[in-house]
Amino acid sequence: MKRRLPIASLFLLAVACHGLGMHRGEETPAPRDVARSVDDARLRAAGADPTTWITHGGTYAEQRFSPLDQINAGNVSQLGLAWSYATGTARGLEATPLVVDGVIYATGSWSVVFALDARTGNELWRYDPEVPRETGRKACCDVVNRGVALYEGRVYVGTLDGRLLALDAASGKKVWEVQTTDPSRPYTITGAPRVVKGKVLIGNGGAELGVRGYLSAYDAKTGSLIWRFYTVPGDPSQPQESPALERAVPTWKGGEWWKVGGGGTVWDSMAYDPDLDLLYVGTGNGSPWSRVVRSPGGGDNLYLSSILALRPDSGDLVWYYQETPGDTWDFTATQHIVLADLAIGGQTRKVLLHAPKNGFFYVIDRESGKLLSAEKFAPVTWARRVDRKTGRPVEAPGVDYRKRPVVVKPSPYGAHNWQPMSYSPQTGLVYIPAQDIPSAFALDKHFRYRPGTWNTGTDFSVIHGFPRGIATGSLLAWDPVKQRARWRVPYTAPWNGGTLATAGNLVFQGTSDRRFVAYAADSGKKLWQTPVGTAILAPPVSYELDGQQYLTVLAGWGGAFALSGGDAVAALDPRAGGQVLTFKLGGNAEMPMPPPPPGPQPLAALPPAPKDRKLVARGEALFTQNCVVCHGYAAVGGGVLPDLRHATPEVHQSFEAIVLGGARQSQGMPSFAQFLTPEDVEAIHAFVIQRAYDEHAAMAAAEKKAKRR
Ligand code: CA
């Protein structure tokens, strides 16, 4: 009961703030006033004003909890669509929309930014940063963007090609732009910036291809660089950029990681505690993935797969906690960070809650960085447990894939990925979009660094696909104090959406099987759902306008598992097409329903079946090495990018011109001339054709079986 008091007082404050703000029937504020009021004071007090959603996780603590309760467990059955806005995109949408003064700010594929009237969904402005389409090759996990930051009348966005832009919130016109990365390296930005004390914080990604991770702080007014914190050492024969990095150097042994990059990218999560003045960021996996390639002499490889606590004014490291020392499985610690005050062992502790890819749920003292507890929240085979005294995982025997391929759980898709979790101070539970996906790892014994493409030091060709049923997901309600599940809603597929908890005893989540669902936050009982046109990955937000509570969520299928998941994804009957969906009680707008993607070509339209089995096998190996991350394991499309088994005769005729000649570069399909020979492409083409025949054979067998029944 102790926990109730601060929430009740917050809510009273919220009501008071609302009384001073927008009144019923008041017109949408003039665009020039929009978002100007978001300043340091308002960002620090964001939790006191539940009518808005002014920063990525709702507040600096990133709990994604809305104190609004007009929509509640008693009336959520009356929820309906208020309006929808077609983003005009067909790739993944992952953004958290920000909402203030009646305007919604969000981002779509290719880092496009748009502002919408929150009452009607009418577009106020749209800014396209015109990201060159060949940048798509650098993006491990789709051409996505997770949203903007607002501060003193400006909208900040990181673009896929590594720029940070400041836009005028009223007009959408560009105020300044800086390149935050070296364009000659495969850096991308997909994460949302945050603003702390006048500094715009932005990280980057690219560790699958090979980069060195860092976080940058820019002056919000001018765009000048204030500080940069590199997360992994550079060439050890040279001086490092910070004392923290000098301390990290001895934890890297042998190898030439700095030539590939080392990894540790800060590609998503950040949170801020204004009282402690600590900025928390999560760092990514090693680059290359394989630790025997990256650091053959062993070592923890600081600061990979870690939570870092930094001073926002200087970028100085105050403490770190490494979740996966010597990561070798693409176990990022970049998943969503939540700050909360929990009663543990009879005292209130300021903690940081984290459910990273590696499958352990961590409760960390956020003042000291000391581990309080860590337990498995999903099937985990790589480690037996985390030792509470040392804070280190106890690796399981037999997970070293140096000598032979090993199946490991979780997979690089994570027991939990970027889809944000939420925390309800009312129930004390954390709502995690959890998943259970195995993956096989094998060492690439002949690894050589190939700039511009994937450099993991592992051999993907041991993975032949994700058959239906092997990969599942769930909505998991986790008690962080008792470190155990309170309830769980199982899903047939992974890659479901981020969550939102509300004071109406509700948890909202979109699903990969195209639903938007409300559950009772205390029991997990399903209270309401609606079909949606395309799967939802992004987290919903809630706000209030004219005395009415709204929910907004972006719907748009895509991201890593959607692109590569093969049969596991095809079973979802996925649809492409981006929408912003806004719901309210009594809403009765029509849900947009995109058509299914084109199906198989008739047999007669296929090129002749390949006869050379060796050519097909070589094609499969090359396909798995070069193509699966976008076109799916076993060439089974995920509904986002073309399913190559369904390629038209025109595509077959121009296969080499597309793959080597870059004939479809403007559509995001870059040339692979740097990596593949015409003979390689012939083999890949043979494999793709074979897969089209395989699908026809499977359909014929299914038809025969159905007739027998
Ligand atoms: Ca990664």
Side-chain angles (χ1 to χ4, degrees), residues 300 320-323 325 362 369-372 374 385-395:
D300 288 350
Y320 71 90
Y321 176 77
Q322 189 175 41
E323 294 175 336
Y362 295 85
K370 189 178 169 294
L371 177 74
L372 298 179
R385 62 192 169 82
V386 175
D387 187 294
R388 282 201 197 186
K389 277 210 182 97
T390 63
R392 296 177 67 88
V394 179
E395 278 188 23

PDB file of all heavy atoms in Angstrom, residues 300 320-323 325 362 369-372 374 385-395:
ATOM      1  N   ASP A 300      36.546  -9.839 -20.813  1.00  0.00           N
ATOM      2  CA  ASP A 300      35.138  -9.428 -20.750  1.00  0.00           C
ATOM      3  C   ASP A 300      34.734  -8.514 -21.903  1.00  0.00           C
ATOM      4  O   ASP A 300      33.556  -8.362 -22.207  1.00  0.00           O
ATOM      5  CB  ASP A 300      34.859  -8.704 -19.428  1.00  0.00           C
ATOM      6  CG  ASP A 300      34.847  -9.664 -18.246  1.00  0.00           C
ATOM      7  OD1 ASP A 300      34.866 -10.897 -18.480  1.00  0.00           O
ATOM      8  OD2 ASP A 300      34.812  -9.179 -17.094  1.00  0.00           O
ATOM      9  N   TYR A 320      29.312   1.047 -14.364  1.00  0.00           N
ATOM     10  CA  TYR A 320      28.810   0.188 -15.435  1.00  0.00           C
ATOM     11  C   TYR A 320      28.432  -1.146 -14.831  1.00  0.00           C
ATOM     12  O   TYR A 320      28.950  -1.546 -13.783  1.00  0.00           O
ATOM     13  CB  TYR A 320      29.865  -0.006 -16.545  1.00  0.00           C
ATOM     14  CG  TYR A 320      31.028  -0.878 -16.131  1.00  0.00           C
ATOM     15  CD1 TYR A 320      30.992  -2.257 -16.332  1.00  0.00           C
ATOM     16  CD2 TYR A 320      32.146  -0.316 -15.517  1.00  0.00           C
ATOM     17  CE1 TYR A 320      32.058  -3.058 -15.925  1.00  0.00           C
ATOM     18  CE2 TYR A 320      33.202  -1.117 -15.117  1.00  0.00           C
ATOM     19  CZ  TYR A 320      33.152  -2.484 -15.321  1.00  0.00           C
ATOM     20  OH  TYR A 320      34.188  -3.276 -14.918  1.00  0.00           O
ATOM     21  N   TYR A 321      27.508  -1.811 -15.484  1.00  0.00           N
ATOM     22  CA  TYR A 321      27.198  -3.199 -15.125  1.00  0.00           C
ATOM     23  C   TYR A 321      27.120  -3.992 -16.424  1.00  0.00           C
ATOM     24  O   TYR A 321      26.298  -3.702 -17.298  1.00  0.00           O
ATOM     25  CB  TYR A 321      25.866  -3.303 -14.361  1.00  0.00           C
ATOM     26  CG  TYR A 321      25.508  -4.746 -14.085  1.00  0.00           C
ATOM     27  CD1 TYR A 321      26.152  -5.451 -13.061  1.00  0.00           C
ATOM     28  CD2 TYR A 321      24.590  -5.420 -14.883  1.00  0.00           C
ATOM     29  CE1 TYR A 321      25.871  -6.788 -12.840  1.00  0.00           C
ATOM     30  CE2 TYR A 321      24.304  -6.755 -14.663  1.00  0.00           C
ATOM     31  CZ  TYR A 321      24.948  -7.436 -13.635  1.00  0.00           C
ATOM     32  OH  TYR A 321      24.684  -8.759 -13.419  1.00  0.00           O
ATOM     33  N   GLN A 322      28.021  -4.962 -16.561  1.00  0.00           N
ATOM     34  CA  GLN A 322      28.045  -5.742 -17.804  1.00  0.00           C
ATOM     35  C   GLN A 322      27.179  -6.991 -17.651  1.00  0.00           C
ATOM     36  O   GLN A 322      27.436  -7.827 -16.790  1.00  0.00           O
ATOM     37  CB  GLN A 322      29.479  -6.134 -18.161  1.00  0.00           C
ATOM     38  CG  GLN A 322      29.566  -6.747 -19.555  1.00  0.00           C
ATOM     39  CD  GLN A 322      31.000  -7.036 -19.976  1.00  0.00           C
ATOM     40  OE1 GLN A 322      31.808  -7.508 -19.179  1.00  0.00           O
ATOM     41  NE2 GLN A 322      31.307  -6.769 -21.241  1.00  0.00           N
ATOM     42  N   GLU A 323      26.171  -7.109 -18.496  1.00  0.00           N
ATOM     43  CA  GLU A 323      25.231  -8.229 -18.386  1.00  0.00           C
ATOM     44  C   GLU A 323      25.763  -9.508 -19.025  1.00  0.00           C
ATOM     45  O   GLU A 323      25.546 -10.599 -18.520  1.00  0.00           O
ATOM     46  CB  GLU A 323      23.892  -7.831 -19.010  1.00  0.00           C
ATOM     47  CG  GLU A 323      23.224  -6.723 -18.208  1.00  0.00           C
ATOM     48  CD  GLU A 323      21.950  -6.185 -18.807  1.00  0.00           C
ATOM     49  OE1 GLU A 323      21.762  -6.303 -20.035  1.00  0.00           O
ATOM     50  OE2 GLU A 323      21.144  -5.621 -18.061  1.00  0.00           O
ATOM     51  N   PRO A 325      29.330 -10.623 -20.125  1.00  0.00           N
ATOM     52  CA  PRO A 325      30.780 -10.453 -20.343  1.00  0.00           C
ATOM     53  C   PRO A 325      31.243 -11.333 -21.507  1.00  0.00           C
ATOM     54  O   PRO A 325      30.813 -12.483 -21.627  1.00  0.00           O
ATOM     55  CB  PRO A 325      31.388 -10.938 -19.019  1.00  0.00           C
ATOM     56  CG  PRO A 325      30.274 -10.865 -18.014  1.00  0.00           C
ATOM     57  CD  PRO A 325      29.021 -11.129 -18.784  1.00  0.00           C
ATOM     58  N   TYR A 362      16.993  -8.220 -14.838  1.00  0.00           N
ATOM     59  CA  TYR A 362      17.934  -7.628 -13.891  1.00  0.00           C
ATOM     60  C   TYR A 362      17.266  -6.524 -13.073  1.00  0.00           C
ATOM     61  O   TYR A 362      16.551  -5.677 -13.627  1.00  0.00           O
ATOM     62  CB  TYR A 362      19.120  -7.002 -14.632  1.00  0.00           C
ATOM     63  CG  TYR A 362      19.988  -8.004 -15.370  1.00  0.00           C
ATOM     64  CD1 TYR A 362      19.660  -8.416 -16.656  1.00  0.00           C
ATOM     65  CD2 TYR A 362      21.125  -8.533 -14.777  1.00  0.00           C
ATOM     66  CE1 TYR A 362      20.447  -9.331 -17.336  1.00  0.00           C
ATOM     67  CE2 TYR A 362      21.922  -9.445 -15.449  1.00  0.00           C
ATOM     68  CZ  TYR A 362      21.575  -9.844 -16.737  1.00  0.00           C
ATOM     69  OH  TYR A 362      22.357 -10.746 -17.403  1.00  0.00           O
ATOM     70  N   GLY A 369      25.051   0.901  -9.235  1.00  0.00           N
ATOM     71  CA  GLY A 369      25.298  -0.068 -10.293  1.00  0.00           C
ATOM     72  C   GLY A 369      25.412  -1.492  -9.786  1.00  0.00           C
ATOM     73  O   GLY A 369      25.708  -2.413 -10.551  1.00  0.00           O
ATOM     74  N   LYS A 370      25.142  -1.693  -8.505  1.00  0.00           N
ATOM     75  CA  LYS A 370      25.262  -3.032  -7.915  1.00  0.00           C
ATOM     76  C   LYS A 370      24.047  -3.875  -8.280  1.00  0.00           C
ATOM     77  O   LYS A 370      22.910  -3.413  -8.227  1.00  0.00           O
ATOM     78  CB  LYS A 370      25.355  -2.875  -6.389  1.00  0.00           C
ATOM     79  CG  LYS A 370      25.695  -4.156  -5.664  1.00  0.00           C
ATOM     80  CD  LYS A 370      25.800  -3.874  -4.162  1.00  0.00           C
ATOM     81  CE  LYS A 370      25.864  -5.152  -3.353  1.00  0.00           C
ATOM     82  NZ  LYS A 370      24.678  -5.988  -3.380  1.00  0.00           N
ATOM     83  N   LEU A 371      24.323  -5.132  -8.625  1.00  0.00           N
ATOM     84  CA  LEU A 371      23.220  -6.047  -8.956  1.00  0.00           C
ATOM     85  C   LEU A 371      22.454  -6.407  -7.690  1.00  0.00           C
ATOM     86  O   LEU A 371      23.052  -6.821  -6.688  1.00  0.00           O
ATOM     87  CB  LEU A 371      23.771  -7.332  -9.590  1.00  0.00           C
ATOM     88  CG  LEU A 371      22.698  -8.373  -9.902  1.00  0.00           C
ATOM     89  CD1 LEU A 371      21.880  -7.970 -11.113  1.00  0.00           C
ATOM     90  CD2 LEU A 371      23.307  -9.755 -10.102  1.00  0.00           C
ATOM     91  N   LEU A 372      21.125  -6.274  -7.733  1.00  0.00           N
ATOM     92  CA  LEU A 372      20.299  -6.709  -6.604  1.00  0.00           C
ATOM     93  C   LEU A 372      19.761  -8.111  -6.857  1.00  0.00           C
ATOM     94  O   LEU A 372      19.731  -8.941  -5.966  1.00  0.00           O
ATOM     95  CB  LEU A 372      19.154  -5.723  -6.370  1.00  0.00           C
ATOM     96  CG  LEU A 372      19.589  -4.297  -6.004  1.00  0.00           C
ATOM     97  CD1 LEU A 372      18.380  -3.394  -5.821  1.00  0.00           C
ATOM     98  CD2 LEU A 372      20.432  -4.312  -4.727  1.00  0.00           C
ATOM     99  N   ALA A 374      18.885 -11.150 -10.393  1.00  0.00           N
ATOM    100  CA  ALA A 374      18.739 -11.459 -11.825  1.00  0.00           C
ATOM    101  C   ALA A 374      18.215 -12.883 -11.935  1.00  0.00           C
ATOM    102  O   ALA A 374      18.813 -13.805 -11.371  1.00  0.00           O
ATOM    103  CB  ALA A 374      20.080 -11.324 -12.545  1.00  0.00           C
ATOM    104  N   ARG A 385      22.878 -19.381 -14.336  1.00  0.00           N
ATOM    105  CA  ARG A 385      22.314 -18.385 -13.429  1.00  0.00           C
ATOM    106  C   ARG A 385      23.246 -17.182 -13.430  1.00  0.00           C
ATOM    107  O   ARG A 385      24.316 -17.220 -14.036  1.00  0.00           O
ATOM    108  CB  ARG A 385      22.191 -18.958 -12.015  1.00  0.00           C
ATOM    109  CG  ARG A 385      23.518 -19.335 -11.402  1.00  0.00           C
ATOM    110  CD  ARG A 385      23.390 -20.161 -10.123  1.00  0.00           C
ATOM    111  NE  ARG A 385      24.691 -20.685  -9.746  1.00  0.00           N
ATOM    112  CZ  ARG A 385      25.614 -20.001  -9.072  1.00  0.00           C
ATOM    113  NH1 ARG A 385      25.369 -18.756  -8.688  1.00  0.00           N
ATOM    114  NH2 ARG A 385      26.793 -20.530  -8.792  1.00  0.00           N
ATOM    115  N   VAL A 386      22.834 -16.141 -12.743  1.00  0.00           N
ATOM    116  CA  VAL A 386      23.713 -15.001 -12.503  1.00  0.00           C
ATOM    117  C   VAL A 386      24.069 -15.019 -11.026  1.00  0.00           C
ATOM    118  O   VAL A 386      23.181 -15.050 -10.167  1.00  0.00           O
ATOM    119  CB  VAL A 386      23.041 -13.668 -12.881  1.00  0.00           C
ATOM    120  CG1 VAL A 386      23.935 -12.489 -12.506  1.00  0.00           C
ATOM    121  CG2 VAL A 386      22.724 -13.631 -14.374  1.00  0.00           C
ATOM    122  N   ASP A 387      25.342 -15.031 -10.729  1.00  0.00           N
ATOM    123  CA  ASP A 387      25.808 -15.053  -9.350  1.00  0.00           C
ATOM    124  C   ASP A 387      25.567 -13.680  -8.711  1.00  0.00           C
ATOM    125  O   ASP A 387      26.070 -12.676  -9.191  1.00  0.00           O
ATOM    126  CB  ASP A 387      27.303 -15.395  -9.334  1.00  0.00           C
ATOM    127  CG  ASP A 387      27.817 -15.609  -7.923  1.00  0.00           C
ATOM    128  OD1 ASP A 387      27.838 -14.636  -7.134  1.00  0.00           O
ATOM    129  OD2 ASP A 387      28.174 -16.751  -7.621  1.00  0.00           O
ATOM    130  N   ARG A 388      24.789 -13.662  -7.641  1.00  0.00           N
ATOM    131  CA  ARG A 388      24.429 -12.371  -7.053  1.00  0.00           C
ATOM    132  C   ARG A 388      25.622 -11.674  -6.425  1.00  0.00           C
ATOM    133  O   ARG A 388      25.676 -10.445  -6.392  1.00  0.00           O
ATOM    134  CB  ARG A 388      23.342 -12.561  -5.989  1.00  0.00           C
ATOM    135  CG  ARG A 388      21.991 -12.750  -6.614  1.00  0.00           C
ATOM    136  CD  ARG A 388      20.882 -12.433  -5.652  1.00  0.00           C
ATOM    137  NE  ARG A 388      19.646 -13.011  -6.172  1.00  0.00           N
ATOM    138  CZ  ARG A 388      18.461 -12.830  -5.630  1.00  0.00           C
ATOM    139  NH1 ARG A 388      18.334 -12.104  -4.554  1.00  0.00           N
ATOM    140  NH2 ARG A 388      17.394 -13.385  -6.174  1.00  0.00           N
ATOM    141  N   LYS A 389      26.563 -12.442  -5.908  1.00  0.00           N
ATOM    142  CA  LYS A 389      27.726 -11.824  -5.241  1.00  0.00           C
ATOM    143  C   LYS A 389      28.632 -11.134  -6.253  1.00  0.00           C
ATOM    144  O   LYS A 389      29.014  -9.990  -6.080  1.00  0.00           O
ATOM    145  CB  LYS A 389      28.518 -12.897  -4.496  1.00  0.00           C
ATOM    146  CG  LYS A 389      27.949 -13.197  -3.123  1.00  0.00           C
ATOM    147  CD  LYS A 389      29.061 -13.636  -2.151  1.00  0.00           C
ATOM    148  CE  LYS A 389      28.466 -13.970  -0.794  1.00  0.00           C
ATOM    149  NZ  LYS A 389      28.231 -15.407  -0.606  1.00  0.00           N
ATOM    150  N   THR A 390      28.967 -11.878  -7.323  1.00  0.00           N
ATOM    151  CA  THR A 390      29.895 -11.318  -8.308  1.00  0.00           C
ATOM    152  C   THR A 390      29.165 -10.505  -9.364  1.00  0.00           C
ATOM    153  O   THR A 390      29.789  -9.714 -10.070  1.00  0.00           O
ATOM    154  CB  THR A 390      30.666 -12.438  -9.028  1.00  0.00           C
ATOM    155  OG1 THR A 390      29.712 -13.244  -9.746  1.00  0.00           O
ATOM    156  CG2 THR A 390      31.437 -13.308  -8.052  1.00  0.00           C
ATOM    157  N   GLY A 391      27.861 -10.746  -9.505  1.00  0.00           N
ATOM    158  CA  GLY A 391      27.091 -10.089 -10.560  1.00  0.00           C
ATOM    159  C   GLY A 391      27.357 -10.678 -11.934  1.00  0.00           C
ATOM    160  O   GLY A 391      26.927 -10.118 -12.939  1.00  0.00           O
ATOM    161  N   ARG A 392      28.051 -11.819 -11.981  1.00  0.00           N
ATOM    162  CA  ARG A 392      28.433 -12.391 -13.272  1.00  0.00           C
ATOM    163  C   ARG A 392      27.603 -13.627 -13.606  1.00  0.00           C
ATOM    164  O   ARG A 392      27.247 -14.396 -12.717  1.00  0.00           O
ATOM    165  CB  ARG A 392      29.917 -12.789 -13.250  1.00  0.00           C
ATOM    166  CG  ARG A 392      30.856 -11.618 -13.078  1.00  0.00           C
ATOM    167  CD  ARG A 392      32.292 -12.090 -12.997  1.00  0.00           C
ATOM    168  NE  ARG A 392      32.744 -12.660 -14.258  1.00  0.00           N
ATOM    169  CZ  ARG A 392      33.287 -11.949 -15.241  1.00  0.00           C
ATOM    170  NH1 ARG A 392      33.466 -10.662 -15.108  1.00  0.00           N
ATOM    171  NH2 ARG A 392      33.661 -12.524 -16.359  1.00  0.00           N
ATOM    172  N   PRO A 393      27.336 -13.832 -14.910  1.00  0.00           N
ATOM    173  CA  PRO A 393      26.622 -15.050 -15.296  1.00  0.00           C
ATOM    174  C   PRO A 393      27.535 -16.273 -15.168  1.00  0.00           C
ATOM    175  O   PRO A 393      28.748 -16.157 -15.320  1.00  0.00           O
ATOM    176  CB  PRO A 393      26.262 -14.803 -16.761  1.00  0.00           C
ATOM    177  CG  PRO A 393      27.296 -13.839 -17.251  1.00  0.00           C
ATOM    178  CD  PRO A 393      27.679 -12.995 -16.062  1.00  0.00           C
ATOM    179  N   VAL A 394      26.928 -17.409 -14.870  1.00  0.00           N
ATOM    180  CA  VAL A 394      27.661 -18.673 -14.851  1.00  0.00           C
ATOM    181  C   VAL A 394      27.326 -19.371 -16.168  1.00  0.00           C
ATOM    182  O   VAL A 394      26.225 -19.890 -16.344  1.00  0.00           O
ATOM    183  CB  VAL A 394      27.229 -19.541 -13.647  1.00  0.00           C
ATOM    184  CG1 VAL A 394      27.986 -20.864 -13.652  1.00  0.00           C
ATOM    185  CG2 VAL A 394      27.447 -18.773 -12.351  1.00  0.00           C
ATOM    186  N   GLU A 395      28.261 -19.304 -17.110  1.00  0.00           N
ATOM    187  CA  GLU A 395      27.983 -19.861 -18.437  1.00  0.00           C
ATOM    188  C   GLU A 395      27.773 -21.367 -18.362  1.00  0.00           C
ATOM    189  O   GLU A 395      28.462 -22.069 -17.611  1.00  0.00           O
ATOM    190  CB  GLU A 395      29.122 -19.531 -19.411  1.00  0.00           C
ATOM    191  CG  GLU A 395      28.989 -18.138 -19.988  1.00  0.00           C
ATOM    192  CD  GLU A 395      29.991 -17.857 -21.098  1.00  0.00           C
ATOM    193  OE1 GLU A 395      30.499 -18.812 -21.724  1.00  0.00           O
ATOM    194  OE2 GLU A 395      30.263 -16.672 -21.328  1.00  0.00           O
TER     195      GLU A 395
END
